Structures are given as structure tokens and as C-alpha cells.
Amino acid sequence: MPSTEDFIFKGIYNAQQSGESIWSAPSNIALVKYWGKKENQIPANPSLSFTLRNCKTETRIAFTPKVTDSRFSFDFLFEGTAKASFRPKIETYFERIAPYCPYVNDFHFAIDSLNTFPHSSGIASSASGMAALSVNIMDLEKQLNPEMSMDFFWQKASFLARLGSGSACRSLKGSLVVWGEHPEIEGSSNLYGVEFQKTTHSNFKNYQDTILLVDKGEKQVSSSVGHDLMHNHPFAQKRFEQAHQNLTSLQELLVSGDLEQFIQLIESEALTLHAMMMTSMPYFILMKPNTLEILNRIWNFRRETKIPIGFTLDAGANVHVLYPENDKANVLQFIQSELVGYCQKEQYICDEIGNGAQKIER
């Protein structure tokens, strides 16, 4: 299994060359949640996520020889506008990847990025953003080292993405991605995400995720702060054990297609995530009253119709409504008739399971 040493670029390159690339990378939604981390972006427990298709970040990077004395030279545009508030995070990212990508010290980067969904609204924009940035960096590395294998390309892209935002490592390649060491998942690693290798049941083919935008604003507590609060959390160790157990169970459910047990597990995981927030010190609540109303209505609808509709939540107020493709018409009718009134400006996003980052040729 690769170690951090294996990801250090040791090639010889021409610092006077220039080039560009454009990649999109999707967000992902964890089914078994990662909450709490150790040093160097190492997860306290393993996680498994669905890769989304439509909620993504598209990033263009042009690199040219650096002409300044600053360690890192870059310009950053978000949706066409310079965003000074984003610079510290990108600076930190370059700081973290420089030992593995020393060439970032020698080029100037013009970075232009846009999202297809609201930033900082609980749809893991940091995951798609850092994944898109990382796969562009790896595109540059492949231009410097054309002999690189694509297996290594994807592995290191996930490794770099993790250094920017932990969950970003699950947004590079695959429909279902595991991040974090787990004794029953071959090849699993704390350093990068790996594709779920078992054959999933047909119930999960084109699985749907309709994201109800309850609150599109900035979260009052960032995920980074929330992760840090797990260090002295009274229930942390039991939670980490639970995540391992749930990942074992989820593997089996993805293969068997037992939607009733699948829904029970993912909803429990979502509520446990928020329970950790509400029982940390200081405590905080990211759900809104409308979030709770939506959850209750989903439960009522499922009980009355027997349609296998479930939900999960990320670290925010928005609700991810999960269901099989063949129930799409009935579920969307339910959402439009009963749930949109609880969404901010009645907005929601229809998404489904995707495959990861894609290069855009122009």
C-alpha cells in the first residue's frame, strides 16, 4: 500500500513551460459519516459516500513561469469575481501539497472556478472545489511527467484533495467511495479514497438524490470547527466504533439491495452526525425548524405509501432525499406538493449518483 513518500514528485521539469487544463469534480454525500480528524487531515473513522453527478465545481487552471519572489503565486476567481476570502484556504492548500508537488513553487497559477450549486450551503462545496483543484494540479504533473500511470494519477489526486478538504478525496473517481482504513475493505486507506469494489444491487443503479435547500446561507459553525470539537467529545470513541460497524453493515446492504435496512442505517448515521454537534462543548445546531418538518413528512410519506424514500444530512440544514430511480415520479410529486414550501425560495436540486471528476476539452 502506498505511503506518503510514494507521492513525492522527484522528476526533472522545465519551470519555463506553460499550459492549462479544465476539470469538473462533483460533490459527494456521505452515507457513513466522517466526523472528527487527526493531524494531517487523517480521518478519525472511515466513511463511505455516494458521488453526485450534477452538483459540481468546474475549475480552469492556467500555469505560467513565476515572476515574483513570493513562495506561492496565484490569482483566484470564483464565478468570475476575485474572492480575497478564498485566498487563505488556497494558500494553506499549496502549503500542504508543496512537499509532494514541489513544482507549485515555480509556477504562477491563474485559477478560475464556478459551482453549479450554492457555496457553503451544506452540499460540500469544499469537497468538489478541492477535488477539482487537485485533479488540475495532477493534470499539470502529468504534463511534467507523461509516463505517469492513470492509477497513480487518480490515487495522488485523491491524496492531494484530502489535504485541501478531507471529504474531497471521495469526489475523484467512482460512484461509491470509501475513505479511511477498514479491516474488511481491501486497499482502504486514510491517505486517499478508494472505489467500492463490490457489485451493488440494481436497486442502487442511477440512485436519486434530490437536495432540498432549506438554508442556502453560510453555516454558523464551519465543518473544520465541528471536526475539532470531537477531540474532547464524551461520546467520540463510541461514535468511531459505530462508524466501523455501520460501514460493515452498509457493505452488505449495498450488495443485497435491502432498502428498508439501508434507509434505517443512513438515517441513523445522519441523525448521529447532528447528535455529535448538539452534544459537543460548545454545542451547536445546524438543522433548522424546516429541516425537522421535512424529516417528519418523509417518515409519514414512507409509512403511508411504502415507497422506499429516505434521507441523509450533511453538516448543514439541507436535506438529501434518497430514493430509487423507478420511484422518481412519485417522490418528485411528493416533494413538489408537500416539501418545497419548507425550502428557501422553494428551491431544490435534482441529482443522482455519478462517477467522479471529468476533464473538459475546449
Side-chain angles (χ1 to χ4, degrees):
M1 183 179 296
S3 69
T4 55
E5 297 291 316
D6 296 314
F7 293 117
I8 298 173
F9 179 81
K10 301 182 179 73
I12 298 171
Y13 58 91
N14 175 12
Q16 296 305 304
Q17 66 189 94
S18 59
E20 71 171 16
S21 60
I22 308 172
W23 284 80
S24 70
S27 185
N28 65 77
I29 179 64
L31 305 177
V32 171
K33 308 295 184 179
Y34 133 71
W35 199 243
K37 58 187 174 185
K38 305 172 187 177
E39 288 184 350
N40 302 318
Q41 298 287 90
I42 299 298
N45 66 263
S47 57
L48 185 149
S49 62
F50 269 146
T51 307
L52 299 181
R53 184 181 302 280
N54 301 325
C55 289
K56 58 190 177 183
T57 299
E58 182 180 304
T59 298
R60 172 186 176 272
I61 289 188
F63 65 94
T64 53
K66 188 171 75 172
V67 295
T68 67
D69 293 331
S70 59
R71 185 177 179 194
F72 305 119
S73 176
F74 65 91
D75 298 317
F76 181 78
L77 298 179
F78 180 70
E79 297 181 350
T81 304
K83 292 282 187 181
S85 61
F86 283 37
R87 288 191 66 86
K89 188 162 189 174
I90 297 174
E91 186 91 29
T92 298
Y93 171 75
F94 279 128
E95 192 80 42
R96 289 174 177 171
I97 72 168
Y100 309 100
C101 308
Y103 48 82
V104 299
N105 294 288
D106 295 323
F107 294 102
H108 172 78
F109 298 95
I111 307 167
D112 197 349
S113 192
L114 61 86
N115 286 349
T116 63
F117 58 95
H119 173 71
S120 289
S121 60
I123 317 179
S125 58
S126 61
S128 59
M130 285 300 173
L133 183 56
S134 298
V135 77
N136 271 290
I137 293 293
M138 284 309 296
D139 197 304
L140 162 58
E141 185 166 315
K142 188 156 179 61
Q143 292 179 50
L144 301 178
N145 176 26
E147 303 303 312
M148 178 196 305
S149 73
M150 288 310 296
D151 284 345
F152 181 82
F153 175 95
W154 289 114
Q155 202 171 65
K156 185 170 178 180
S158 181
F159 173 84
L160 297 180
R162 174 185 61 83
L163 296 175
S165 173
S167 59
C169 75
R170 300 189 308 240
S171 282
L172 273 301
K173 190 171 187 288
S175 299
L176 284 159
V177 181
V178 176
W179 171 40
E181 292 179 3
H182 190 282
E184 296 176 31
I185 299 179
E186 186 177 352
S188 60
S189 172
N190 289 333
L191 301 181
Y192 46 80
V194 298
E195 288 186 73
F196 183 71
Q197 293 297 324
K198 296 185 178 180
T199 302
T200 55
H201 193 277
S202 59
N203 283 344
F204 299 107
K205 181 178 174 60
N206 299 328
Y207 209 66
Q208 302 293 299
D209 179 5
T210 299
I211 306 156
L212 307 181
L213 301 179
V214 175
D215 186 356
K216 292 168 62 181
E218 295 272 348
K219 295 177 291 191
Q220 70 266 34
V221 177
S222 71
S223 293
S224 295
V225 171
H227 283 296
D228 287 343
L229 292 175
M230 287 295 282
H231 287 303
N232 299 307
H233 199 294
F235 309 134
Q237 200 53 48
K238 281 296 181 185
R239 165 57 199 155
F240 302 148
E241 293 171 10
Q242 180 195 47
H244 276 86
Q245 294 163 359
N246 282 347
L247 188 46
T248 294
S249 299
L250 184 58
Q251 280 198 97
E252 299 168 0
L253 296 173
L254 289 168
V255 173
S256 71
D258 185 334
L259 289 173
E260 183 177 344
Q261 291 297 313
F262 172 79
I263 289 169
Q264 190 176 88
L265 189 151
I266 64 168
E267 290 186 346
S268 172
E269 273 285 317
L271 295 174
T272 299
L273 170 67
H274 284 262
M276 293 297 104
M277 300 173 192
M278 289 188 277
T279 50
S280 65
M281 187 59 73
Y283 42 81
F284 60 100
I285 299 174
L286 294 184
M287 288 189 284
K288 302 291 185 182
N290 283 1
T291 307
L292 297 175
E293 187 62 41
I294 288 169
L295 303 192
N296 277 295
R297 286 181 176 262
I298 288 172
W299 285 334
N300 290 337
F301 178 77
R302 186 168 74 223
R303 186 165 50 247
E304 292 169 1
T305 65
K306 308 303 179 187
I307 290 174
I309 173 179
F311 68 81
T312 191
L313 306 165
D314 217 329
N318 299 329
V319 181
H320 291 251
V321 186
L322 302 174
Y323 52 95
E325 185 182 33
N326 57 11
D327 291 306
K328 185 173 182 177
N330 288 327
V331 172
L332 287 180
Q333 184 178 21
F334 161 62
I335 289 171
Q336 289 158 2
S337 63
E338 289 199 42
L339 301 186
V340 293
Y342 299 102
C343 300
Q344 189 172 334
K345 297 182 179 178
E346 299 192 343
Q347 290 185 305
Y348 61 94
I349 299 171
C350 290
D351 212 330
E352 62 185 10
I353 197 165
N355 295 309
Q358 294 181 317
K359 186 165 186 175
I360 299 171
E361 304 288 355
R362 286 182 179 163

